[in-house]
């Protein structure tokens, strides 16, 4: 019974992760165009050189998408981000997430 519960939880968790990336599914080329204002803090390719701003390059697409949604909804609090994303759409979130996820991280050997 315990093994069945663990397997069921694992499948639910995997489904939740999969639905997160499906929700993102953006266009990386469009995201690159939309990311120009992001570059001031996060770097042109998402590899911020400042410890004050997170590196976005190579992060999971679904994570980036949901983080942007949470900033917009006010679940994540950051006055800089709130101002930057105030006029962005869900499609913009998808495209930005796809672009930054496609970029190699600072230590990535892609």
């Amino acid at each position: 019974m315990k093994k069945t519960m663990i397997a069921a939880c694992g499948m639910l968790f995997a489904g939740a992760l999969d639905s997160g990336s499906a929700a993102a599914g953006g266009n990386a080329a469009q995201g690159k165009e939309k990311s120009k204002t992001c570059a001031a803090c996060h770097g042109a390719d998402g590899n911020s050189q400042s410890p004050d701003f997170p590196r976005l390059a190579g992060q999971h697409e679904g994570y980036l998408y949901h983080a942007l949604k949470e900033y917009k909804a006010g679940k994540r609090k950051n006055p800089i981000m709130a101002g930057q994303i105030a006029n962005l759409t869900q499609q913009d979130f998808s495209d930005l997430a796809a672009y930054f996820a496609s970029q190699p991280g600072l230590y990535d050997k892609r």
Side-chain angles (χ1 to χ4, degrees):
M1 179 69 169
K2 187 175 181 180
K3 287 182 183 179
T4 304
M5 291 297 290
I6 291 171
C9 288
M11 289 189 303
L12 285 172
F13 182 70
L17 286 178
D18 187 47
S19 68
S21 62
N27 181 311
Q30 291 292 318
K32 182 176 183 178
E33 288 301 311
K34 296 173 183 179
S35 74
K36 292 182 180 176
T37 57
C38 307
C41 297
H42 298 287
D45 63 353
N47 283 301
S48 172
Q49 298 301 309
S50 171
D52 295 330
F53 304 107
R55 291 187 176 130
L56 304 177
Q59 295 288 340
H60 189 271
E61 185 176 346
Y63 167 77
L64 293 169
Y65 174 82
H66 287 290
L68 289 168
K69 281 182 60 175
E70 288 178 348
Y71 281 118
K72 181 106 176 195
K75 293 179 182 175
R76 288 185 182 218
K77 308 284 186 199
N78 183 292
I80 296 171
M81 284 298 295
Q84 292 298 317
I85 65 164
N87 296 318
L88 297 182
T89 67
Q90 300 291 317
Q91 185 61 52
D92 294 333
F93 295 165
S94 294
D95 295 342
L96 288 166
Y99 171 66
F100 286 118
S102 72
Q103 298 305 295
L106 189 61
Y107 303 108
D108 196 349
K109 303 290 186 209
R110 290 188 212 187

PDB file of all heavy atoms in Angstrom, residues 63-81:
ATOM      1  N   TYR A  63       9.060  27.211 -14.414  1.00  0.00           N
ATOM      2  CA  TYR A  63       9.366  27.993 -13.209  1.00  0.00           C
ATOM      3  C   TYR A  63       9.356  29.486 -13.524  1.00  0.00           C
ATOM      4  O   TYR A  63       8.758  30.285 -12.794  1.00  0.00           O
ATOM      5  CB  TYR A  63      10.729  27.580 -12.643  1.00  0.00           C
ATOM      6  CG  TYR A  63      11.230  28.544 -11.601  1.00  0.00           C
ATOM      7  CD1 TYR A  63      10.705  28.524 -10.311  1.00  0.00           C
ATOM      8  CD2 TYR A  63      12.200  29.486 -11.913  1.00  0.00           C
ATOM      9  CE1 TYR A  63      11.143  29.429  -9.358  1.00  0.00           C
ATOM     10  CE2 TYR A  63      12.638  30.389 -10.969  1.00  0.00           C
ATOM     11  CZ  TYR A  63      12.116  30.355  -9.689  1.00  0.00           C
ATOM     12  OH  TYR A  63      12.547  31.257  -8.749  1.00  0.00           O
ATOM     13  N   LEU A  64      10.017  29.879 -14.606  1.00  0.00           N
ATOM     14  CA  LEU A  64      10.075  31.298 -14.981  1.00  0.00           C
ATOM     15  C   LEU A  64       8.675  31.840 -15.277  1.00  0.00           C
ATOM     16  O   LEU A  64       8.322  32.938 -14.843  1.00  0.00           O
ATOM     17  CB  LEU A  64      10.993  31.489 -16.187  1.00  0.00           C
ATOM     18  CG  LEU A  64      12.473  31.206 -15.935  1.00  0.00           C
ATOM     19  CD1 LEU A  64      13.237  31.162 -17.255  1.00  0.00           C
ATOM     20  CD2 LEU A  64      13.071  32.243 -14.999  1.00  0.00           C
ATOM     21  N   TYR A  65       7.913  31.072 -16.006  1.00  0.00           N
ATOM     22  CA  TYR A  65       6.543  31.472 -16.349  1.00  0.00           C
ATOM     23  C   TYR A  65       5.712  31.713 -15.089  1.00  0.00           C
ATOM     24  O   TYR A  65       5.066  32.750 -14.941  1.00  0.00           O
ATOM     25  CB  TYR A  65       5.898  30.391 -17.228  1.00  0.00           C
ATOM     26  CG  TYR A  65       4.443  30.628 -17.520  1.00  0.00           C
ATOM     27  CD1 TYR A  65       4.055  31.497 -18.533  1.00  0.00           C
ATOM     28  CD2 TYR A  65       3.456  29.979 -16.799  1.00  0.00           C
ATOM     29  CE1 TYR A  65       2.712  31.715 -18.808  1.00  0.00           C
ATOM     30  CE2 TYR A  65       2.114  30.191 -17.072  1.00  0.00           C
ATOM     31  CZ  TYR A  65       1.749  31.050 -18.078  1.00  0.00           C
ATOM     32  OH  TYR A  65       0.423  31.271 -18.338  1.00  0.00           O
ATOM     33  N   HIS A  66       5.752  30.758 -14.180  1.00  0.00           N
ATOM     34  CA  HIS A  66       4.954  30.883 -12.958  1.00  0.00           C
ATOM     35  C   HIS A  66       5.474  31.990 -12.053  1.00  0.00           C
ATOM     36  O   HIS A  66       4.685  32.664 -11.385  1.00  0.00           O
ATOM     37  CB  HIS A  66       4.865  29.545 -12.224  1.00  0.00           C
ATOM     38  CG  HIS A  66       3.964  28.583 -12.932  1.00  0.00           C
ATOM     39  ND1 HIS A  66       2.600  28.740 -12.994  1.00  0.00           N
ATOM     40  CD2 HIS A  66       4.241  27.470 -13.657  1.00  0.00           C
ATOM     41  CE1 HIS A  66       2.077  27.767 -13.710  1.00  0.00           C
ATOM     42  NE2 HIS A  66       3.046  26.989 -14.122  1.00  0.00           N
ATOM     43  N   ALA A  67       6.773  32.216 -12.035  1.00  0.00           N
ATOM     44  CA  ALA A  67       7.325  33.321 -11.241  1.00  0.00           C
ATOM     45  C   ALA A  67       6.785  34.653 -11.757  1.00  0.00           C
ATOM     46  O   ALA A  67       6.372  35.515 -10.965  1.00  0.00           O
ATOM     47  CB  ALA A  67       8.850  33.300 -11.281  1.00  0.00           C
ATOM     48  N   LEU A  68       6.758  34.831 -13.074  1.00  0.00           N
ATOM     49  CA  LEU A  68       6.221  36.067 -13.644  1.00  0.00           C
ATOM     50  C   LEU A  68       4.743  36.231 -13.304  1.00  0.00           C
ATOM     51  O   LEU A  68       4.293  37.329 -12.955  1.00  0.00           O
ATOM     52  CB  LEU A  68       6.441  36.094 -15.161  1.00  0.00           C
ATOM     53  CG  LEU A  68       7.887  36.281 -15.595  1.00  0.00           C
ATOM     54  CD1 LEU A  68       8.044  35.998 -17.087  1.00  0.00           C
ATOM     55  CD2 LEU A  68       8.369  37.679 -15.259  1.00  0.00           C
ATOM     56  N   LYS A  69       3.987  35.142 -13.399  1.00  0.00           N
ATOM     57  CA  LYS A  69       2.564  35.203 -13.038  1.00  0.00           C
ATOM     58  C   LYS A  69       2.389  35.598 -11.576  1.00  0.00           C
ATOM     59  O   LYS A  69       1.494  36.379 -11.249  1.00  0.00           O
ATOM     60  CB  LYS A  69       1.888  33.850 -13.284  1.00  0.00           C
ATOM     61  CG  LYS A  69       1.534  33.598 -14.729  1.00  0.00           C
ATOM     62  CD  LYS A  69       0.828  32.281 -14.921  1.00  0.00           C
ATOM     63  CE  LYS A  69      -0.447  32.200 -14.141  1.00  0.00           C
ATOM     64  NZ  LYS A  69      -1.219  30.981 -14.390  1.00  0.00           N
ATOM     65  N   GLU A  70       3.247  35.086 -10.710  1.00  0.00           N
ATOM     66  CA  GLU A  70       3.138  35.409  -9.289  1.00  0.00           C
ATOM     67  C   GLU A  70       3.510  36.862  -9.002  1.00  0.00           C
ATOM     68  O   GLU A  70       2.916  37.481  -8.130  1.00  0.00           O
ATOM     69  CB  GLU A  70       3.998  34.446  -8.474  1.00  0.00           C
ATOM     70  CG  GLU A  70       3.396  33.054  -8.424  1.00  0.00           C
ATOM     71  CD  GLU A  70       4.242  32.059  -7.676  1.00  0.00           C
ATOM     72  OE1 GLU A  70       5.426  32.343  -7.369  1.00  0.00           O
ATOM     73  OE2 GLU A  70       3.726  30.968  -7.381  1.00  0.00           O
ATOM     74  N   TYR A  71       4.475  37.411  -9.729  1.00  0.00           N
ATOM     75  CA  TYR A  71       4.777  38.839  -9.586  1.00  0.00           C
ATOM     76  C   TYR A  71       3.564  39.672 -10.004  1.00  0.00           C
ATOM     77  O   TYR A  71       3.180  40.618  -9.329  1.00  0.00           O
ATOM     78  CB  TYR A  71       5.993  39.251 -10.412  1.00  0.00           C
ATOM     79  CG  TYR A  71       7.311  38.900  -9.782  1.00  0.00           C
ATOM     80  CD1 TYR A  71       8.187  38.023 -10.411  1.00  0.00           C
ATOM     81  CD2 TYR A  71       7.708  39.451  -8.567  1.00  0.00           C
ATOM     82  CE1 TYR A  71       9.415  37.705  -9.842  1.00  0.00           C
ATOM     83  CE2 TYR A  71       8.919  39.133  -7.990  1.00  0.00           C
ATOM     84  CZ  TYR A  71       9.768  38.261  -8.627  1.00  0.00           C
ATOM     85  OH  TYR A  71      10.973  37.946  -8.064  1.00  0.00           O
ATOM     86  N   LYS A  72       2.975  39.305 -11.127  1.00  0.00           N
ATOM     87  CA  LYS A  72       1.822  40.053 -11.636  1.00  0.00           C
ATOM     88  C   LYS A  72       0.636  39.977 -10.673  1.00  0.00           C
ATOM     89  O   LYS A  72      -0.060  40.967 -10.455  1.00  0.00           O
ATOM     90  CB  LYS A  72       1.421  39.525 -13.015  1.00  0.00           C
ATOM     91  CG  LYS A  72       0.257  40.226 -13.659  1.00  0.00           C
ATOM     92  CD  LYS A  72       0.689  41.113 -14.762  1.00  0.00           C
ATOM     93  CE  LYS A  72      -0.486  41.742 -15.473  1.00  0.00           C
ATOM     94  NZ  LYS A  72      -0.130  42.304 -16.729  1.00  0.00           N
ATOM     95  N   ALA A  73       0.433  38.819 -10.068  1.00  0.00           N
ATOM     96  CA  ALA A  73      -0.685  38.619  -9.146  1.00  0.00           C
ATOM     97  C   ALA A  73      -0.412  39.198  -7.757  1.00  0.00           C
ATOM     98  O   ALA A  73      -1.300  39.245  -6.925  1.00  0.00           O
ATOM     99  CB  ALA A  73      -1.001  37.131  -9.024  1.00  0.00           C
ATOM    100  N   GLY A  74       0.832  39.619  -7.521  1.00  0.00           N
ATOM    101  CA  GLY A  74       1.180  40.170  -6.211  1.00  0.00           C
ATOM    102  C   GLY A  74       1.557  39.120  -5.187  1.00  0.00           C
ATOM    103  O   GLY A  74       1.763  39.444  -4.019  1.00  0.00           O
ATOM    104  N   LYS A  75       1.665  37.859  -5.606  1.00  0.00           N
ATOM    105  CA  LYS A  75       2.075  36.798  -4.680  1.00  0.00           C
ATOM    106  C   LYS A  75       3.560  36.891  -4.367  1.00  0.00           C
ATOM    107  O   LYS A  75       3.994  36.498  -3.295  1.00  0.00           O
ATOM    108  CB  LYS A  75       1.740  35.425  -5.253  1.00  0.00           C
ATOM    109  CG  LYS A  75       0.251  35.163  -5.350  1.00  0.00           C
ATOM    110  CD  LYS A  75      -0.028  33.811  -5.949  1.00  0.00           C
ATOM    111  CE  LYS A  75      -1.520  33.587  -6.074  1.00  0.00           C
ATOM    112  NZ  LYS A  75      -1.829  32.336  -6.750  1.00  0.00           N
ATOM    113  N   ARG A  76       4.334  37.379  -5.310  1.00  0.00           N
ATOM    114  CA  ARG A  76       5.753  37.691  -5.091  1.00  0.00           C
ATOM    115  C   ARG A  76       5.841  39.200  -5.022  1.00  0.00           C
ATOM    116  O   ARG A  76       5.283  39.894  -5.867  1.00  0.00           O
ATOM    117  CB  ARG A  76       6.631  37.162  -6.231  1.00  0.00           C
ATOM    118  CG  ARG A  76       6.786  35.672  -6.239  1.00  0.00           C
ATOM    119  CD  ARG A  76       7.767  35.264  -7.316  1.00  0.00           C
ATOM    120  NE  ARG A  76       7.898  33.833  -7.368  1.00  0.00           N
ATOM    121  CZ  ARG A  76       9.036  33.203  -7.598  1.00  0.00           C
ATOM    122  NH1 ARG A  76      10.139  33.883  -7.819  1.00  0.00           N
ATOM    123  NH2 ARG A  76       9.078  31.893  -7.629  1.00  0.00           N
ATOM    124  N   LYS A  77       6.548  39.686  -4.053  1.00  0.00           N
ATOM    125  CA  LYS A  77       6.629  41.131  -3.828  1.00  0.00           C
ATOM    126  C   LYS A  77       8.003  41.660  -4.222  1.00  0.00           C
ATOM    127  O   LYS A  77       9.018  41.252  -3.653  1.00  0.00           O
ATOM    128  CB  LYS A  77       6.385  41.459  -2.351  1.00  0.00           C
ATOM    129  CG  LYS A  77       5.126  40.856  -1.778  1.00  0.00           C
ATOM    130  CD  LYS A  77       3.910  41.585  -2.232  1.00  0.00           C
ATOM    131  CE  LYS A  77       2.681  41.022  -1.515  1.00  0.00           C
ATOM    132  NZ  LYS A  77       1.470  41.324  -2.161  1.00  0.00           N
ATOM    133  N   ASN A  78       8.026  42.523  -5.213  1.00  0.00           N
ATOM    134  CA  ASN A  78       9.244  43.215  -5.608  1.00  0.00           C
ATOM    135  C   ASN A  78       8.810  44.431  -6.409  1.00  0.00           C
ATOM    136  O   ASN A  78       8.249  44.291  -7.500  1.00  0.00           O
ATOM    137  CB  ASN A  78      10.153  42.310  -6.440  1.00  0.00           C
ATOM    138  CG  ASN A  78      11.448  42.987  -6.807  1.00  0.00           C
ATOM    139  OD1 ASN A  78      11.467  43.935  -7.587  1.00  0.00           O
ATOM    140  ND2 ASN A  78      12.539  42.497  -6.240  1.00  0.00           N
ATOM    141  N   PRO A  79       9.055  45.639  -5.885  1.00  0.00           N
ATOM    142  CA  PRO A  79       8.571  46.836  -6.581  1.00  0.00           C
ATOM    143  C   PRO A  79       9.166  47.030  -7.973  1.00  0.00           C
ATOM    144  O   PRO A  79       8.487  47.535  -8.865  1.00  0.00           O
ATOM    145  CB  PRO A  79       8.943  47.979  -5.643  1.00  0.00           C
ATOM    146  CG  PRO A  79       9.904  47.425  -4.661  1.00  0.00           C
ATOM    147  CD  PRO A  79       9.725  45.943  -4.629  1.00  0.00           C
ATOM    148  N   ILE A  80      10.393  46.602  -8.168  1.00  0.00           N
ATOM    149  CA  ILE A  80      11.005  46.738  -9.499  1.00  0.00           C
ATOM    150  C   ILE A  80      10.293  45.822 -10.491  1.00  0.00           C
ATOM    151  O   ILE A  80       9.877  46.246 -11.571  1.00  0.00           O
ATOM    152  CB  ILE A  80      12.518  46.428  -9.464  1.00  0.00           C
ATOM    153  CG1 ILE A  80      13.242  47.455  -8.594  1.00  0.00           C
ATOM    154  CG2 ILE A  80      13.099  46.400 -10.878  1.00  0.00           C
ATOM    155  CD1 ILE A  80      14.688  47.122  -8.325  1.00  0.00           C
ATOM    156  N   MET A  81      10.137  44.561 -10.106  1.00  0.00           N
ATOM    157  CA  MET A  81       9.465  43.608 -10.998  1.00  0.00           C
ATOM    158  C   MET A  81       8.005  43.991 -11.228  1.00  0.00           C
ATOM    159  O   MET A  81       7.498  43.852 -12.340  1.00  0.00           O
ATOM    160  CB  MET A  81       9.556  42.187 -10.435  1.00  0.00           C
ATOM    161  CG  MET A  81      10.916  41.548 -10.610  1.00  0.00           C
ATOM    162  SD  MET A  81      11.395  41.362 -12.345  1.00  0.00           S
ATOM    163  CE  MET A  81      10.180  40.207 -12.921  1.00  0.00           C
TER     164      MET A  81
END
